[in-house]
Amino acid sequence: EADIYQTPRYLVIGTGKKITLECSQTMGHDKMYWYQQDPGMELHLIHYSYGVNSTEKGDLSSESTVSRIRTEHFPLTLESARPSHTSQYLCASSELGLTDTQYFGPGTRLTVL
Amino acid sequence: AQSVTQLGSHVSVSEGALVLLRCNYSSSVPPYLFWYVQYPNQGLQLLLKYTSAATLVKGINGFEAEFKKSETSFHLTKPSAHMSDAAEYFCAVSLGGATNKLIFGTGTLLAVQP
């Protein structure tokens, strides 16, 4: 079954640690996205990709970085986690059409102590 | 610039009652509009989308939404609420294009009382 996966689902980590949030999709979608969602708030786009070797920054400034070496994989990395990075991170993917639906993963809830 | 306003961060209805979740958008060009639902500890699931075809859009789980250009609205409705409808609902707007970025509203948390 085609799907989009995120690991870990929950992560509690200390300040200064390097972390990588994984996102994989089995739908063969070219476009992939990372959103940040704080409790009770809207989602904000922080990174997106049109395809392999393509990455762009989104509307919300983020200290995280992303890479797209394979179509199905779009990991997000924080080199040095801080408490201000505590949030939920949602990954999504879509086809290349103008109105194609974005499909979301279950999210990673990150807590930085 | 595009924006989305969802009126009412919390809505409570009785089981079997009408569900009405409000969404108004701002866009300088004809928008594409979406409603997503988020259950606790899960990602977002598409309920329905408007892409300039029929103004009344039917989605999953008995939900529908009507695009009203004159009112710049895209309200979500369901004739009869079910306990399983309790979740957070997000309205989103997109201009499409190469990026297909979504601009989300702040969400409405729907509670369904027995």
Side-chain angles (χ1 to χ4, degrees):
Chain A
E1 177 181 317
D3 212 338
I4 181 164
Y5 305 93
Q6 288 186 246
T7 58
R9 292 292 314 279
Y10 304 91
L11 179 62
V12 180
I13 201 163
T15 297
K17 299 292 186 182
K18 178 180 178 179
I19 60 169
T20 296
L21 307 185
E22 301 288 349
C23 175
S24 295
Q25 49 97 3
T26 59
M27 295 173 280
H29 288 165
D30 285 306
K31 291 184 189 176
M32 295 190 74
Y33 313 80
W34 276 103
Y35 291 87
Q36 186 173 338
Q37 182 185 27
D38 292 321
M41 303 291 287
E42 64 265 50
L43 285 75
H44 290 286
L45 182 69
I46 51 174
H47 297 285
Y48 61 96
S49 167
Y50 295 116
V52 171
N53 295 326
S54 153
T55 61
E56 302 285 344
K57 290 191 177 295
D59 301 322
L60 181 68
S61 176
S62 174
E63 295 170 345
S64 59
T65 59
V66 292
S67 63
R68 191 87 183 275
I69 299 173
R70 303 197 315 265
T71 298
E72 64 271 21
H73 195 213
F74 191 42
L76 180 147
T77 298
L78 278 165
E79 290 294 332
S80 180
R82 294 207 301 268
S84 60
H85 296 139
T86 295
S87 188
Q88 171 149 267
Y89 294 84
L90 289 164
C91 181
S93 70
S94 74
E95 295 186 18
L96 280 174
L98 297 182
T99 62
D100 282 321
T101 298
Q102 291 187 24
Y103 295 89
F104 284 80
T108 294
R109 189 169 295 279
L110 172 66
T111 302
V112 184
L113 303 175
Chain B
Q2 302 160 276
S3 66
V4 173
T5 302
Q6 290 184 243
L7 297 175
S9 58
H10 292 79
V11 170
S12 182
V13 301
S14 298
E15 192 172 18
L18 171 72
V19 176
L20 171 60
L21 305 182
R22 299 178 187 275
C23 173
N24 288 88
Y25 69 91
S26 172
S27 175
S28 57
V29 296
Y32 303 117
L33 294 158
F34 303 77
W35 275 101
Y36 281 87
V37 61
Q38 185 178 32
Y39 297 100
N41 300 316
Q42 294 187 28
L44 277 68
Q45 179 184 6
L46 181 72
L47 278 177
L48 48 81
K49 66 179 181 181
Y50 167 76
T51 57
S52 75
T55 56
L56 182 62
V57 182
K58 294 188 182 298
I60 62 171
N61 302 338
F63 284 94
E64 62 182 35
E66 185 172 9
F67 173 69
K68 292 187 177 180
K69 184 178 178 180
S70 60
E71 299 177 7
T72 61
S73 70
F74 190 56
H75 301 332
L76 181 71
T77 61
K78 181 174 180 177
S80 176
H82 192 272
M83 297 296 289
S84 61
D85 294 326
E88 187 147 27
Y89 293 80
F90 291 93
C91 182
V93 63
S94 168
L95 288 182
T99 307
N100 195 22
K101 291 191 294 184
L102 291 175
I103 307 298
F104 285 88
T106 52
T108 297
L109 187 61
L110 175 67
V112 181
Q113 308 299 328

